[in-house]
């Protein structure tokens, strides 16, 4: 079997041994953007402006989020999507109502426990990443349509919210920013599939570059059909049949019935409290909300304000809390429709206290950490956008194709770029996926099951009102990115631009290493090594997009770790 292309290289392969002189990515300072009435912060500027225009025209945060989500399917194909899935967290201020919408992809009905194993019984990444078996039933269209139908303002039809995306796909847009930076790396991926090459490669086989116009006619027709006839136009009829045929032609098992059976669902949000702030985040099948709250609960026992940002003591406590949460993630987390997840116990203060007692002054080796027993105590290429409207409503939305540009397969005649989300299942217990994460039976593949995710769309409330809306791409690093943005603001008094610009560290239990971005104080990293941590420098793999509500208005921070992000407000 052919080796994986570089596009499929494990995300953690970029880690390097701590060497201060080694050149790595410098993080430009984030410039805050202020607005009085409404704001959208997204990784792609055209889509952010479309969402802001909806707010300006009288729409609410959900309307703007739906318009932004469909627009990014056109302008940010590496992660914005209608061929993937994700999660949306909503806060409606009038009724103090919090909603979590799960539109995660689902496994086709013919997927089995052994679908992603080779003849020797080992996990086979070609099957879970590179061919048609890797494609989960897309959920984005169903999720955005559900949000619009139940929680939109009622001032816009779905067709009106999708219309800007249709125009961008039909008329084209100028390639720039992150798209110009990443298109060339995906050329071998697109070249594998004739249907993809027709869309994303020029006649000479080269990718589009900065200043070129990208037109996606088939995608325009698909989006137009969804706007006219609703989500069933995507999940039933010709579009669904073409998607299923493309997946089967690439070696998958998806059928039109799998698409017809797909449903987005509402779930009770994951809730926690940290130093007087209320946390509203995504529950399983996301691991994000539970483990974000779990780590915060552990950290609440330390005076991080006193120890200071990015100091040896704070960094040590961050790393130790992270690794204990990720050890639990590997065992307990999965699709709650298939397994019992001890969510309340994992998020309990008592359980956090029991974990905190095992943290000393030296690093605890991951080999000495196993999942705890919470019952007794009681996902790199994704994209995130945040929205706040003038009514005090907010949306935090993270969605993905899994790896950058998914598996690169465009379903012929639809323009829909498909995901490779099945890699987020634990193909074999304790075998790492592309992000180095291990899992167990709770996240084993099964028919119509949703794979575990790390996406962590989060809304922070202060006295019942929106204070912070945040989230990030970055695979396994998503949870710890959201964590550090919150801690930077709440514990260290940073504004949202400072909190976003600050370099980050990450520990996910396995592999047993602290990964740190360039700019993290060298003295702190050396002190971590002295405490027994293995420290690795790493180029950034996350790009948060956040909004903070202040007495002077809304302040947006578009992360500079990728080019082209924008905070758009009015």
């Amino acid at each position: 079997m052919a080796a994986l292309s570089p596009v499929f290289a494990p995300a953690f392969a970029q880690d390097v041994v701590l060497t201060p002189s080694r050149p790595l990515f410098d993080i430009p300072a984030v410039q805050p953007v202020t607005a009085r009435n409404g704001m959208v912060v997204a990784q792609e500027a055209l889509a952010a402006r479309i969402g802001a225009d909806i707010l300006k025209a009288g729409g609410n945060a959900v309307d703007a989020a739906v318009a932004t989500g469909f627009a990014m399917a056109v302008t940010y194909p590496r992660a914005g999507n209608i061929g993937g899935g994700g999660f949306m967290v909503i806060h409606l201020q009038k009724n103090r109502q919090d909603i979590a919408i799960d539109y995660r992809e689902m496994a086709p009905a013919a997927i089995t426990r052994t679908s992603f194993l080779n003849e020797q019984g080992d996990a086979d990444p070609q099957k879970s990443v590179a061919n048609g078996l890797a494609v989960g039933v897309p959920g984005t269209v169903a999720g955005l349509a559900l949000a619009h139908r139940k929680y939109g303002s009622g001032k816009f039809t779905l067709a009106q919210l999708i219309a800007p995306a249709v125009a961008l796909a039909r008329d084209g847009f100028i390639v720039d920013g992150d798209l110009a930076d990443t298109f060339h790396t995906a050329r071998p991926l697109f070249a594998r599939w004739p249907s993809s090459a027709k869309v994303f490669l020029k006649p000479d086989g080269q990718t589009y570059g900065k200043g070129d116009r990208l037109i996606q006619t088939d995608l325009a027709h698909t989006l137009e059909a969804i706007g006219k006839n609703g989500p069933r136009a995507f999940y039933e009829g010709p579009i669904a049949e073409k998607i299923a045929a493309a997946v089967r032609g690439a070696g998958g098992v998806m059928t039109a019935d799998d698409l017809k059976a797909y449903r987005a669902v509402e779930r009770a949000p994951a809730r926690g409290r940290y130093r007087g702030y209320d946390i509203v985040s995504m529950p399983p099948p996301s691991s994000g909300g539970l483990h974000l709250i779990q780590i915060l609960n552990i950290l609440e026992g330390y005076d991080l304000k006193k120890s200071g940002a990015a100091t040896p003591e704070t960094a040590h406590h961050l790393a130790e809390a992270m690794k204990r949460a990720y050890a639990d993630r590997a065992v307990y987390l999965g699709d709650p429709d298939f397994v019992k997840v001890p969510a309340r116990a994992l998020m309990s203060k008592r359980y956090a206290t029991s974990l905190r007692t095992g943290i000393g002054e030296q690093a605890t080796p991951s080999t000495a950490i196993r999942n705890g027993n919470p019952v007794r105590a009681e996902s790199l290429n994704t994209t995130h956008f945040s929205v706040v409207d003038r009514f005090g409503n907010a949306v935090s939305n993270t969605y993905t194709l899994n790896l950058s540009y998914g598996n690169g397969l465009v379903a012929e005649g639809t323009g829909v770029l498909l995901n490779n989300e099945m890699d987020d299942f634990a193909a074999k217990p304790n075998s790492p996926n592309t992000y180095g994460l291990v899992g167990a039976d709770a996240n084993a593949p099964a028919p119509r099951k949703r794979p575990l995710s790390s996406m962590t769309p989060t809304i922070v409330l202060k006295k019942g009102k929106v204070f912070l809306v945040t989230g990030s791409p970055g695979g396994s690093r998503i949870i710890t990115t959201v964590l550090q943005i919150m801690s930077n603001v709440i514990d260290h008094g940073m504004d949202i631009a400072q909190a976003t610009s600050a370099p980050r560290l990450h520990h996910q239990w396995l592999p047993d290493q602290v990964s740190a971005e360039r700019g993290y104080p060298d003295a702190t990293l050396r002190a971590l090594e002295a405490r027994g941590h293995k420290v690795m420098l790493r180029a950034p793999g996350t790009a948060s997009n956040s909004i903070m509500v202040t007495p002077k208005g809304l302040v947006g921070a578009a992360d500079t770790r990728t080019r082209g992000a924008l905070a758009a407000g009015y």
Side-chain angles (χ1 to χ4, degrees):
M1 183 173 287
L4 293 178
S5 76
V7 185
F8 300 122
F12 51 85
Q14 299 177 29
D15 290 335
V16 295
V17 176
L18 178 57
T19 308
S21 61
R22 176 159 181 148
L24 282 174
F25 187 93
D26 286 316
I27 304 169
V30 173
Q31 299 301 315
V33 174
T34 59
R36 294 299 306 179
N37 298 306
M39 178 171 284
V40 178
V41 186
Q43 275 181 267
E44 198 286 313
L46 292 172
R49 292 191 182 102
I50 286 169
D53 286 344
I54 294 295
L55 293 177
K56 191 181 297 185
N60 69 3
V62 174
D63 296 329
V66 171
T68 301
F70 278 111
M72 291 190 75
V74 180
T75 61
Y76 199 73
R78 70 181 296 204
N81 72 80
I82 59 171
F87 302 120
M88 179 183 289
V89 175
I90 303 169
H91 174 78
L92 300 178
Q93 184 59 35
K94 183 177 181 180
N95 300 320
R96 302 290 179 95
Q97 185 179 6
D98 299 312
I99 303 107
I101 297 178
D102 172 5
Y103 60 95
R104 180 70 158 155
E105 302 91 334
M106 295 177 71
I111 290 295
T112 70
R113 182 67 183 82
T114 61
S115 288
F116 306 109
L117 303 180
N118 61 21
E119 294 177 357
Q120 290 73 44
D122 295 322
D124 184 346
Q126 286 285 346
K127 293 182 177 180
S128 64
V129 172
N131 66 21
L133 273 178
V135 183
V137 180
T140 296
V141 172
L144 296 182
L146 172 62
H148 167 259
R149 177 172 57 84
K150 292 195 67 175
Y151 303 109
S153 67
K155 295 182 178 181
F156 297 90
T157 66
L158 186 62
Q160 288 174 318
L161 296 178
I162 295 177
V166 173
L168 284 168
R170 181 189 62 233
D171 302 333
F173 64 96
I174 302 303
V175 173
D176 199 1
D178 182 75
L179 186 59
D181 294 341
T182 62
F183 245 164
H184 68 282
T185 64
R187 190 182 69 80
L189 191 60
F190 299 141
R192 296 177 61 211
W193 314 106
S195 57
S196 304
K198 286 194 299 185
V199 177
F200 293 120
L201 298 183
K202 298 178 181 180
D204 64 359
Q206 297 303 306
T207 53
Y208 291 87
K210 181 178 173 63
D212 290 333
R213 180 174 293 273
L214 177 64
I215 295 174
Q216 302 169 77
T217 304
D218 287 341
L219 182 57
H221 293 155
T222 294
L223 290 167
E224 196 168 34
I226 296 167
K228 181 178 180 181
N229 299 311
R232 288 301 102 194
F234 183 85
Y235 292 99
E236 299 177 27
I239 295 173
E241 290 166 2
K242 289 175 182 176
I243 291 173
V247 172
R248 292 197 307 275
V253 293
M254 189 182 297
T255 67
D257 284 341
D258 288 318
L259 284 129
K260 185 177 181 179
Y262 184 86
R263 296 291 185 274
V265 297
E266 293 185 56
R267 301 191 187 276
R271 295 180 179 277
R273 192 164 176 81
Y274 182 68
R275 305 196 199 277
Y277 293 84
D278 292 308
I279 315 302
V280 183
S281 194
M282 197 67 206
S286 170
S287 64
L290 268 64
H291 293 307
L292 170 67
I293 292 166
Q294 181 184 11
I295 297 170
L296 288 170
N297 286 342
I298 297 172
L299 294 175
E300 200 167 36
Y302 302 109
D303 190 345
L304 299 186
K305 181 178 181 180
K306 181 179 179 180
S307 60
T311 61
E313 184 178 358
T314 294
H316 171 67
H317 289 146
L318 281 172
E320 290 295 297
M322 289 172 184
K323 69 173 71 171
R324 283 160 173 80
Y326 278 82
D328 282 346
R329 183 191 188 278
V331 174
Y332 293 114
L333 271 290
D335 184 341
D337 295 334
F338 285 75
V339 298
K340 183 173 177 56
V341 178
R344 182 175 296 181
L346 285 166
M347 295 186 293
S348 75
K349 300 288 187 181
R350 182 193 296 183
Y351 182 51
T353 298
S354 72
L355 294 177
R356 194 184 310 117
T357 59
I359 298 175
E361 293 302 311
Q362 292 296 115
T364 307
S366 290
T367 53
I369 297 175
R370 293 292 179 264
N371 59 286
N373 194 335
V375 178
R376 289 185 182 177
E378 166 89 313
S379 152
L380 227 35
N381 286 285
T382 299
T383 188
H384 176 86
F385 55 86
S386 297
V387 187
V388 176
D389 65 24
R390 69 179 188 273
F391 310 109
N393 307 315
V395 171
S396 183
N397 188 91
T398 314
Y399 65 171
T400 186
L401 293 171
N402 193 30
L403 299 188
S404 188
Y405 300 99
N407 72 354
L409 174 62
V410 171
E412 181 70 52
T414 70
V416 177
L417 183 61
L418 295 169
N419 66 86
N420 52 3
E421 207 62 69
M422 296 298 93
D423 187 59
D424 274 357
F425 280 121
K428 182 180 180 181
N430 301 317
S431 291
N433 70 359
T434 305
Y435 294 100
L437 289 168
V438 298
D441 287 339
N443 190 37
R448 303 274 164 87
K449 187 176 183 181
R450 302 174 199 249
L452 186 61
S453 171
S454 295
M455 291 183 282
T456 315
T458 299
I459 297 173
V460 180
L461 306 175
K462 184 178 182 180
K463 297 181 179 179
K465 295 183 178 180
V466 173
F467 170 72
L468 177 64
V469 184
T470 190
S472 178
S476 59
R477 298 165 185 265
I478 295 173
I479 301 170
T480 57
T481 293
V482 173
L483 165 78
Q484 287 167 92
I485 288 172
M486 290 176 55
S487 181
N488 285 340
V489 170
I490 295 172
D491 292 316
H492 305 303
M494 298 183 190
D495 63 40
I496 191 58
Q498 294 169 330
T500 302
S501 298
R504 301 165 188 150
L505 59 77
H506 172 77
H507 201 305
Q508 62 184 53
W509 182 49
L510 294 175
D512 191 358
Q513 62 188 43
V514 175
S515 298
E517 292 179 337
R518 182 177 181 178
Y520 218 89
D522 184 59
T524 295
L525 299 181
R526 295 297 181 194
L528 287 175
E529 288 185 324
R531 288 176 181 251
H533 294 280
K534 181 180 180 182
V535 179
M536 315 290 281
L537 287 179
R538 179 187 167 88
T542 59
S544 62
N545 293 294
S546 307
I547 301 172
M548 189 171 173
V549 181
T550 75
K552 295 183 179 180
L554 306 176
V555 182
D559 206 325
T560 56
R561 288 165 175 81
T562 62
R563 292 198 314 121
L566 180 72
Y570 79 105

